[in-house]
Coordinates of all heavy atoms in Angstrom, one line a residue:
L1 N -16.3 -32.7 80.7 CA -15.1 -32.7 80.0 C -13.8 -32.5 80.8 O -12.8 -33.1 80.6 CB -15.2 -31.8 78.8 CG -14.0 -31.7 77.9 CD1 -13.7 -33.0 77.3 CD2 -14.2 -30.6 76.9
S2 N -14.0 -31.5 81.8 CA -12.8 -31.2 82.6 C -12.3 -32.4 83.4 O -11.1 -32.6 83.5 CB -13.2 -30.1 83.6 OG -14.3 -30.5 84.5
G3 N -13.3 -33.2 83.8 CA -12.9 -34.4 84.5 C -12.4 -35.5 83.5 O -11.4 -36.2 83.8
R4 N -13.0 -35.6 82.4 CA -12.6 -36.7 81.4 C -11.3 -36.3 80.7 O -10.6 -37.3 80.4 CB -13.7 -36.7 80.4 CG -15.1 -37.1 80.8 CD -15.0 -38.5 81.6 NE -16.2 -38.8 82.2 CZ -17.2 -39.6 81.6 NH1 -17.2 -40.0 80.5 NH2 -18.3 -39.8 82.3
V5 N -10.9 -35.1 80.7 CA -9.6 -34.8 80.1 C -8.5 -35.3 81.1 O -7.5 -35.9 80.6 CB -9.3 -33.2 80.0 CG1 -7.9 -32.9 79.8 CG2 -10.3 -32.7 78.9
V6 N -8.7 -35.1 82.4 CA -7.8 -35.7 83.4 C -7.9 -37.2 83.3 O -6.9 -38.0 83.3 CB -8.2 -35.3 84.9 CG1 -7.3 -36.0 85.8 CG2 -8.0 -33.8 84.9
N7 N -9.1 -37.8 83.2 CA -9.3 -39.2 83.0 C -8.6 -39.8 81.9 O -8.0 -40.9 81.9 CB -10.8 -39.5 83.1 CG -11.0 -41.0 82.9 OD1 -10.7 -41.8 83.8 ND2 -11.7 -41.5 81.8
A8 N -8.6 -39.1 80.7 CA -8.1 -39.6 79.5 C -6.6 -39.8 79.7 O -6.0 -40.8 79.3 CB -8.3 -38.7 78.3
V9 N -5.9 -38.7 80.3 CA -4.5 -38.8 80.4 C -4.1 -39.9 81.5 O -3.2 -40.7 81.2 CB -3.9 -37.4 80.9 CG1 -2.5 -37.5 81.3 CG2 -4.2 -36.4 79.9
V10 N -4.8 -39.9 82.6 CA -4.5 -40.8 83.7 C -4.9 -42.3 83.2 O -4.2 -43.2 83.5 CB -5.3 -40.5 84.9 CG1 -4.9 -41.6 86.0 CG2 -4.9 -39.1 85.5
G11 N -5.9 -42.4 82.4 CA -6.4 -43.7 81.9 C -5.3 -44.3 81.0 O -5.0 -45.4 81.1
L12 N -4.8 -43.5 80.1 CA -3.6 -43.9 79.2 C -2.5 -44.3 80.0 O -1.7 -45.2 79.6 CB -3.3 -42.9 78.1 CG -4.4 -42.7 77.0 CD1 -4.0 -41.5 76.1 CD2 -4.5 -43.9 76.2
A13 N -2.3 -43.6 81.1 CA -1.1 -43.8 81.9 C -1.2 -45.3 82.6 O -0.2 -46.1 82.5 CB -1.0 -42.8 83.0
Y14 N -2.4 -45.6 83.2 CA -2.4 -46.9 83.8 C -2.5 -48.0 82.7 O -2.0 -49.1 83.0 CB -3.6 -47.0 84.7 CG -5.0 -47.2 84.2 CD1 -5.4 -48.5 83.7 CD2 -5.9 -46.2 84.2 CE1 -6.6 -48.6 83.2 CE2 -7.3 -46.4 83.9 CZ -7.6 -47.7 83.2 OH -8.9 -47.8 82.8
I15 N -3.1 -47.7 81.6 CA -3.0 -48.7 80.5 C -1.6 -49.0 80.0 O -1.2 -50.1 79.8 CB -3.9 -48.3 79.4 CG1 -5.3 -48.5 79.8 CG2 -3.7 -49.1 78.2 CD1 -6.4 -47.9 78.8
A16 N -0.9 -47.9 79.8 CA 0.6 -48.0 79.4 C 1.4 -48.8 80.5 O 2.2 -49.6 80.1 CB 1.2 -46.6 79.2
L17 N 1.1 -48.4 81.7 CA 1.8 -49.3 82.8 C 1.5 -50.7 82.8 O 2.4 -51.5 82.9 CB 1.4 -48.6 84.2 CG 2.1 -47.4 84.7 CD1 1.4 -46.8 85.8 CD2 3.6 -47.5 84.9
T18 N 0.2 -51.0 82.6 CA -0.2 -52.4 82.5 C 0.4 -53.1 81.3 O 1.0 -54.2 81.4 CB -1.7 -52.5 82.3 OG1 -2.3 -51.8 83.4 CG2 -2.2 -53.9 82.2
Y19 N 0.5 -52.5 80.1 CA 1.0 -53.1 78.9 C 2.5 -53.3 79.0 O 3.1 -54.3 78.6 CB 0.6 -52.4 77.6 CG -0.8 -52.7 77.1 CD1 -1.9 -52.1 77.7 CD2 -1.0 -53.6 76.2 CE1 -3.2 -52.4 77.3 CE2 -2.3 -54.0 75.7 CZ -3.4 -53.3 76.3 OH -4.7 -53.7 75.8
R20 N 3.2 -52.2 79.4 CA 4.6 -52.2 79.5 C 5.2 -53.2 80.5 O 6.3 -53.9 80.4 CB 5.1 -50.9 79.8 CG 5.0 -49.8 78.6 CD 5.4 -48.5 79.0 NE 5.2 -47.5 78.0 CZ 6.2 -47.2 77.0 NH1 7.4 -47.8 77.1 NH2 5.9 -46.3 76.1
S21 N 4.4 -53.4 81.7 CA 4.8 -54.4 82.7 C 4.5 -55.8 82.4 O 5.4 -56.6 82.7 CB 4.1 -53.9 84.0 OG 4.5 -52.6 84.3
L22 N 3.3 -56.0 81.9 CA 2.9 -57.4 81.7 C 3.2 -58.0 80.4 O 3.4 -59.2 80.2 CB 1.4 -57.5 81.9 CG 0.8 -57.2 83.3 CD1 -0.7 -57.3 83.3 CD2 1.4 -58.2 84.2
G23 N 3.4 -57.2 79.3 CA 3.5 -57.5 77.9 C 2.2 -57.8 77.3 O 1.2 -57.9 77.9
K24 N 2.3 -57.9 76.0 CA 1.1 -58.0 75.2 C 0.2 -59.2 75.5 O -1.0 -59.1 75.7 CB 1.4 -58.0 73.8 CG 0.1 -57.9 72.9 CD 0.5 -57.8 71.4 CE 1.0 -56.4 71.0 NZ 1.2 -56.2 69.5
E25 N 0.8 -60.4 75.8 CA 0.0 -61.7 76.1 C -0.7 -61.5 77.4 O -1.9 -61.7 77.5 CB 0.9 -62.8 76.0 CG 1.4 -63.2 74.7 CD 0.3 -63.8 73.8 OE1 -0.7 -64.3 74.3 OE2 0.4 -63.7 72.6
A26 N 0.0 -61.3 78.5 CA -0.6 -61.1 79.8 C -1.6 -59.9 79.9 O -2.7 -60.1 80.5 CB 0.4 -61.0 80.9
A27 N -1.1 -58.8 79.2 CA -2.1 -57.7 79.2 C -3.4 -58.1 78.4 O -4.5 -57.6 78.8 CB -1.4 -56.5 78.6
G28 N -3.2 -58.8 77.4 CA -4.4 -59.3 76.7 C -5.4 -60.1 77.5 O -6.6 -60.0 77.4
V29 N -4.8 -60.9 78.4 CA -5.7 -61.7 79.3 C -6.4 -60.8 80.2 O -7.5 -61.0 80.6 CB -4.7 -62.7 80.1 CG1 -5.5 -63.4 81.2 CG2 -4.1 -63.7 79.2
L30 N -5.7 -59.8 80.8 CA -6.3 -58.9 81.7 C -7.5 -58.1 80.9 O -8.6 -57.9 81.5 CB -5.4 -57.9 82.2 CG -5.8 -56.8 83.2 CD1 -4.7 -56.5 84.2 CD2 -6.4 -55.5 82.6
V31 N -7.2 -57.7 79.7 CA -8.3 -57.0 78.9 C -9.4 -58.0 78.7 O -10.6 -57.6 78.9 CB -7.6 -56.6 77.5 CG1 -8.8 -56.3 76.6 CG2 -6.7 -55.5 77.7
L32 N -9.2 -59.3 78.5 CA -10.3 -60.2 78.2 C -11.1 -60.4 79.5 O -12.4 -60.5 79.5 CB -9.8 -61.5 77.8 CG -9.1 -61.6 76.3 CD1 -8.6 -62.9 75.9 CD2 -10.2 -61.2 75.3
I33 N -10.4 -60.5 80.7 CA -11.2 -60.6 82.0 C -12.0 -59.4 82.3 O -13.2 -59.5 82.6 CB -10.2 -61.0 83.1 CG1 -9.5 -62.4 82.9 CG2 -10.9 -60.9 84.5 CD1 -8.5 -62.7 83.9

């Protein structure tokens, strides 16, 4: 859990960076791949 707490925060950070930078359509393509 100690590692996953860090992972949860960092994971949401890179997902937010991906969605905010690419937009919903392009981010959706990345999610599908």
Side-chain angles (χ1 to χ4, degrees):
L1 179 60
S2 64
R4 297 301 173 92
V5 168
V6 176
N7 178 62
V9 175
V10 179
L12 287 174
Y14 79 73
I15 288 173
L17 283 168
T18 300
Y19 278 83
R20 290 175 182 267
S21 300
L22 293 178
K24 186 175 284 190
E25 287 292 333
V29 174
L30 186 149
V31 165
L32 291 176
I33 291 175

